[in-house]
Amino acid sequence: MPSTEDQAFLDWFKAHNGKIDTDSVTLKDFGASEGGRGLVALRDLPENYDVFSIPRSLVLSTRTSSLPSKIGASKWREYGLHKGWSGLILCMLWEAAQGPASKWNTYFVSMPSKFDVPILWEDRDLSELQGTSVVDKLGKENAEHDYNEKILRVVKAFPHIFPTEAIPQHYSLEKFHIMGCRIMSRSFTLEIQEGEEGEGQSNDNDENEIQPDDGNTSMGSAMDVDHEDDPKQTSEEQDEDEDEEDETEVVMVPLADFLNARYQTENVKLFYEPQSLKMVTTRPIQAGEQIWNTYGDLPNAELLRRFGHTDLVDLGSGKTGNPGDVVELRADLVLQSIIEVHPEFENANLEERIDWWLEAGGDDVFVLDYDELPQDFISFTRLVMNDSEWQKARSKERPPKPTIDKETLEIIQRVLTKRTSLYPTTLNEDEELASNLEALPLNHKHALIVRIGEKRILAEHLDKIGTMLKASIGSGDRKRRREDGTSGNKKKQKQ
């Protein structure tokens, strides 16, 4: 049986034309290890079963909230609320401040107000993430700049909409962060339907708006929604479609955001229709089984940054972790490593090569996973370290081929070693700490899991590179011995 609070939410959902068969599914608290509160199947569900559906009018966005029309289209744009998440955050703050007068009041009551995401951590806990890419992506200063320059300015400019006495309670920086965390962890990216252009709105949805503008961060919403007529569309095709159309918005979808996610456990997906959204099973689900959505099998660093949790699954050989973990390698580490080996490059004009690489569509951050070395990482390294490759790239107007020779391997080894040194602890030290994982404070536990996953990737690649370099040296020695032997034989024959 659902709790009193959950039952109140389900009653509210159905009263606003949401459709759910509570004889087939219901809300349940699975405990922290299984994601907390989620949705459970009460009976066996077949594939392609409609678990629930949500009318578009119940989706909370800048198009369904009446706040933008109260402020007006020109003012909405003037204050920059048509970009990023600021407009949605302000709508959520205002709707929550209305209490029972807001259609979404019961929805707000059901949402969490406490989050374990690093943007809310104290500096002492953040130090546990040193060496990872998480800290650089938090954007706390930028978020607070948005609060002061957008949210607070609007609130103070329209006292008839936002009563001055209500600011400390309903429009504080703390409330702003809570709504931002709700969007980051629970929102969906939804395509805008024809004729849905709202008052004061545009299709310019810059999802990096409240993150550091470093070109490397992704402030994407928690989950995307699929087309009903193309459920097998690949993520690459979806990305291309979004680039072409740029007609999406970040929205809050009641009930759909209750579903938890875990690495490669997805058994439902959210599809949209002209008048509604519906959650559909992608495989049969047994009675008692949790209903899982997907966040895209993200690495633990991103799961922690966005949602405040990490995934631990069986990796074999007695290890647990997240198979989707990655390590980010910044281009400046490549430059530093090359200059250490070739100090004559320090005063050389490498800026032209880097600019050329970026203009050709290359990135300045390379993603290393458990598999092979990134092809663009190898290509960039060869471009910067090798004059002939640089000249060839310019003449052919394409980056160098990602081929590896001994010199390239040595630079890559140096880059990965330098990347490993950014962590204050070693992999052995972290794995020793992990032997008593549950005894650690929650934030330290999550940070440790992130560090271990990244360090294992670096260690595995360094082992492979070390083996390859030894093989190349051994091969070179054998070649020299053969050449020396041949040369000696020829001398003896001459004698």
Side-chain angles (χ1 to χ4, degrees):
M1 291 289 294
S3 67
T4 302
E5 181 182 314
D6 288 345
Q7 187 59 55
F9 172 83
L10 291 171
D11 291 342
W12 167 84
F13 182 78
K14 289 188 283 189
H16 286 82
N17 299 317
K19 295 180 180 178
I20 180 172
D21 179 5
T22 49
D23 290 330
S24 299
V25 296
T26 193
L27 292 169
K28 175 184 176 180
D29 190 342
F30 288 89
S33 63
E34 293 292 313
R37 185 170 57 175
L39 207 62
V40 63
L42 297 177
R43 64 174 181 84
D44 292 349
L45 304 178
E47 186 176 352
N48 295 322
Y49 174 78
D50 293 352
V51 180
F52 55 82
S53 67
I54 306 137
R56 281 180 174 270
S57 60
L58 200 54
V59 171
L60 175 53
S61 73
T62 57
R63 299 171 192 282
T64 54
S65 171
S66 61
L67 177 64
S69 63
K70 293 179 180 294
I71 291 176
S74 60
K75 290 295 182 181
W76 191 266
R77 294 185 67 87
E78 180 183 326
Y79 285 99
L81 297 175
H82 63 296
K83 291 185 176 181
W85 293 0
S86 298
L88 179 56
I89 289 177
L90 185 58
C91 286
M92 292 171 67
L93 289 170
W94 182 77
E95 292 288 351
Q98 306 314 301
S102 170
K103 176 168 65 176
W104 292 282
N105 181 58
T106 303
Y107 177 45
F108 283 116
V109 171
S110 74
M111 283 196 280
S113 297
K114 183 180 180 301
F115 296 88
D116 297 311
V117 290
I119 196 172
L120 301 179
W121 289 11
E122 299 292 337
D123 289 344
R124 179 181 58 186
D125 288 346
L126 282 177
S127 67
E128 296 290 321
L129 288 168
Q130 182 179 332
T132 71
S133 61
V134 176
V135 178
D136 291 338
K137 292 184 176 183
L138 295 182
K140 190 170 185 177
E141 290 182 5
N142 287 52
E144 293 182 0
H145 178 271
D146 261 17
Y147 170 74
N148 289 308
E149 295 303 315
K150 290 185 178 181
I151 303 297
L152 208 53
R153 283 183 62 210
V154 174
V155 167
K156 290 180 177 179
F158 296 89
H160 62 289
I161 301 175
F162 312 100
T164 303
E165 65 274 13
I167 294 177
Q169 180 181 359
H170 297 293
Y171 303 100
S172 66
L173 178 61
E174 180 186 6
K175 293 286 188 180
F176 170 84
H177 278 310
I178 289 173
M179 292 305 184
C181 288
R182 286 172 171 174
I183 294 173
M184 186 160 59
S185 62
R186 304 170 72 88
S187 64
F188 289 74
T189 301
L190 183 64
E191 184 176 296
I192 298 167
Q193 297 290 290
E194 278 189 44
E196 267 196 330
E197 196 71 19
E199 179 72 32
Q201 307 306 297
S202 79
N203 294 336
D204 185 4
N205 189 21
D206 179 4
E207 291 185 42
N208 290 320
E209 179 67 21
I210 62 171
Q211 284 295 87
D213 188 17
D214 61 4
N216 302 329
T217 48
S218 172
M219 196 63 171
S221 58
M223 289 161 280
D224 291 334
V225 186
D226 272 6
H227 289 276
E228 170 64 14
D229 58 354
D230 193 7
K232 295 181 180 179
Q233 189 181 33
T234 66
S235 59
E236 290 82 8
E237 289 168 340
Q238 290 168 5
D239 290 343
E240 289 174 5
D241 288 348
E242 288 176 9
D243 289 340
E244 290 174 4
E245 298 173 10
D246 193 25
E247 294 186 349
T248 60
E249 61 175 341
V250 176
V251 303
M252 306 300 293
V253 185
L255 187 57
D257 59 6
F258 276 65
L259 272 60
N260 294 310
R262 189 171 60 189
Y263 186 84
Q264 291 188 349
T265 313
E266 168 194 350
N267 52 25
V268 295
K269 197 135 191 173
L270 190 65
F271 296 91
Y272 61 76
E273 296 180 332
Q275 301 302 321
S276 65
L277 310 175
K278 61 181 182 179
M279 191 69 73
V280 183
T281 59
T282 57
R283 63 172 176 81
I285 301 175
Q286 295 181 354
E289 188 178 352
Q290 183 166 182
I291 297 173
W292 298 93
N293 203 346
T294 179
Y295 298 151
D297 293 338
L298 297 173
N300 276 331
E302 280 298 287
L303 289 176
L304 180 60
R305 183 179 74 85
R306 298 187 192 184
F307 312 113
H309 70 85
T310 52
D311 266 355
L312 284 179
V313 300
D314 186 10
L315 299 178
S317 304
K319 294 181 178 179
T320 58
N322 185 341
D325 278 341
V326 298
V327 178
E328 293 188 359
L329 305 169
R330 298 194 314 270
D332 61 342
L333 286 181
V334 179
L335 300 184
Q336 292 171 22
S337 301
I338 291 172
I339 289 171
E340 287 173 359
V341 176
H342 299 285
E344 69 274 13
F345 284 6
E346 190 162 8
N347 297 320
N349 184 15
L350 299 180
E351 185 176 338
E352 184 181 5
R353 302 186 188 189
I354 298 167
D355 288 343
W356 183 92
W357 170 264
L358 295 174
E359 289 173 5
D363 205 344
D364 58 358
V365 175
F366 309 102
V367 180
L368 181 67
D369 57 25
Y370 279 106
D371 297 324
E372 302 298 324
L373 290 167
Q375 301 292 287
D376 57 345
F377 171 50
I378 300 169
S379 182
F380 176 78
T381 302
R382 293 180 64 80
L383 178 76
V384 178
M385 69 180 283
N386 193 305
D387 288 335
S388 64
E389 290 285 6
W390 161 236
Q391 297 301 331
K392 191 187 303 180
R394 280 202 306 181
S395 65
K396 294 187 176 182
E397 297 185 349
R398 64 172 181 263
K401 292 181 180 180
T403 54
I404 296 182
D405 54 21
K406 180 175 176 292
E407 186 179 13
T408 306
L409 265 183
E410 288 174 341
I411 293 296
I412 290 175
Q413 182 185 51
R414 186 175 288 267
V415 172
L416 300 191
T417 300
K418 191 177 291 292
R419 179 67 180 80
T420 303
S421 71
L422 297 178
Y423 303 100
T425 54
T426 67
L427 177 58
N428 287 337
E429 289 171 340
D430 280 354
E431 288 186 329
E432 186 175 341
L433 279 173
S435 63
N436 194 17
L437 196 61
E438 297 307 320
L440 296 173
L442 182 64
N443 293 348
H444 291 200
K445 169 187 170 181
H446 287 318
L448 179 63
I449 291 170
V450 171
R451 294 200 311 262
I452 288 176
E454 294 185 359
K455 290 177 185 179
R456 281 177 178 167
I457 292 172
L458 289 165
E460 285 191 16
H461 281 285
L462 282 169
D463 285 345
K464 292 177 186 176
I465 291 170
T467 301
M468 293 169 70
L469 285 173
K470 285 179 182 177
S472 69
I473 293 171
S475 175
D477 289 342
R478 287 192 296 274
K479 182 178 180 181
R480 283 193 294 275
R481 284 197 296 272
R482 286 197 301 271
E483 289 173 347
D484 290 344
T486 302
S487 176
N489 289 337
K490 287 181 178 178
K491 288 180 181 178
K492 289 179 182 179
Q493 289 172 358
K494 284 184 179 179
Q495 290 175 351

